[in-house]
Amino acid sequence: MDLRHLQAFITVAEERHFGRAAERLNLAASPLGRVIRALEDEVGTPLLTRTTRRVDLTAAGAAFLPQAQAILAQLEQAASLARRTAQGESGRVRLGYMGAAQAALLPRLWRTLRATHPDVQLDVTELCTPDQRQALLAGELDAGLMALPVWHDDLRVRPLASIPLLAALPQEHPLADRPSLSLRELAQEDWLTCTPYATTLPPEQVQALCMAFGLVPRTRAVGGSESAVVARVAAGVGVTLVPQTLINPRQEGVRFVPLEDGVTLDVGLVTRADPGNPAVSALLLAAQHLTTPA
């Protein structure tokens, strides 16, 4: 069924006059009449009754009119949605995030996105930085809140926040009762990191952090969650760094000691160099709002 025929029928039904309808449609009255007859032939029944002065709907036409209007309205909505999606004003973004970003950064980013682009939806998944990076490169995520640095030529990084890090030490560790520590004082320790669900720093972040202080860390990647790594610390297996946002002060067998060096976990929004998904631009704009001074 030709959509132009539907539009012609709706216009005539609204005007109840072929001449006025033809003017609205930029047609002559005769071609408009042929369009309506073609539609009636396709439907299989008359839709309009015509006199020299007035056009009325038949019973079939009265039943057909709201359905035709609904079809055109849905098509316009579909076209509008397609245009807005292509412009990044609507759509869905698959966002990964590390646990340290969950307490404050993720909610703030989400609220800002809802305020600036209410028709862009977020699908969020908690993943460690290495798993986010892999999923992002594979096209399984559109963006990720990751621990920095992230090194890859096909990825782009927008730094968002620096979260203070504390050293998690076994309760019986000689340095556990100190009010604060220098990172250098832990140079000879075994550093525990998470795989595959890391919320502590993954090995490359620990190495980059220690290298900044002239240290070469001994890292041990262990499976499980953040709590599993901290449990290993409690058992005396090693030490780790825990973001302030994930500290559990009631954790038994572990002391969380502030670091004197101003050591932070830097978190950024990471996307592919060519995102592919236009809605990612809305997320980047929301991230820019988070880092722009008031």
Side-chain angles (χ1 to χ4, degrees):
M1 185 171 291
D2 194 321
L3 296 177
R4 292 173 299 176
H5 292 181
L6 287 181
Q7 183 62 67
F9 166 72
I10 292 170
T11 305
V12 173
E14 291 172 348
E15 293 293 343
R16 302 299 175 99
H17 192 278
F18 268 85
R20 292 193 296 271
E23 289 180 8
R24 279 180 55 185
L25 294 168
N26 253 354
L27 289 174
S30 295
L32 177 57
R34 289 194 293 270
V35 168
I36 296 299
R37 284 192 293 275
L39 176 63
E40 291 175 325
D41 289 343
E42 189 171 0
V43 173
T45 187
L47 302 174
L48 300 168
T49 61
R50 305 157 178 86
T51 69
T52 55
R53 294 185 176 182
R54 183 172 174 81
V55 176
D56 287 315
L57 294 169
T58 65
F64 186 72
L65 177 60
Q67 301 299 320
Q69 291 170 325
I71 289 170
L72 285 186
Q74 289 175 353
L75 285 172
E76 178 53 37
Q77 289 174 4
S80 175
L81 179 61
R83 290 191 296 268
R84 295 175 66 249
T85 299
Q87 295 165 0
E89 298 175 0
S90 181
R92 188 172 297 273
V93 176
R94 300 163 299 172
L95 175 68
Y97 68 94
M98 61 183 300
Q102 183 175 3
L105 192 56
L106 176 61
R108 288 174 56 213
L109 181 62
W110 208 331
R111 286 194 302 269
T112 303
L113 180 65
R114 289 182 62 189
T116 58
H117 292 79
D119 293 328
V120 174
Q121 305 298 315
L122 277 188
D123 288 339
V124 298
T125 305
E126 183 176 1
L127 291 170
C128 66
T129 290
D131 287 351
Q132 284 191 64
R133 183 176 54 200
Q134 181 178 348
L136 192 55
L137 292 170
E140 298 166 0
L141 287 177
D142 298 306
L145 291 172
M146 304 185 196
L148 304 181
V150 172
W151 295 299
H152 199 285
D153 290 342
D154 293 333
L155 299 179
R156 298 293 180 267
V157 176
R158 181 185 295 273
L160 290 183
S162 295
I163 302 172
L165 288 168
L166 283 77
L169 308 178
Q171 188 170 331
E172 67 278 5
H173 194 284
L175 301 176
D177 290 329
R178 292 273 299 275
S180 63
L181 288 171
S182 167
L183 197 62
R184 292 181 180 278
E185 295 180 88
L186 303 173
Q188 304 305 313
E189 302 290 337
D190 288 328
W191 294 82
L192 305 182
T193 64
C194 273
T195 62
Y197 301 110
T199 47
T200 56
L201 295 181
E204 58 266 41
Q205 271 75 37
V206 170
Q207 291 168 1
L209 179 61
C210 290
M211 286 172 59
F213 289 88
L215 308 177
V216 180
R218 297 196 306 264
T219 60
R220 296 180 55 185
V222 296
S225 64
E226 165 69 23
S227 59
V229 173
V230 175
R232 286 176 169 83
V233 172
V237 177
V239 303
T240 195
L241 295 177
V242 180
Q244 189 177 57
T245 53
L246 292 175
I247 295 296
N248 177 7
R250 298 199 292 182
Q251 172 71 47
E252 293 186 5
V254 177
R255 294 290 178 89
F256 298 99
V257 183
L259 294 170
E260 299 168 354
D261 309 292
V263 180
T264 60
L265 168 64
D266 296 328
V267 180
L269 181 65
V270 183
T271 62
R272 291 188 297 276
D274 180 10
N277 180 354
V280 170
S281 61
L283 188 67
L284 290 170
L285 182 61
Q288 182 178 336
H289 280 269
L290 294 189
T291 56
T292 300

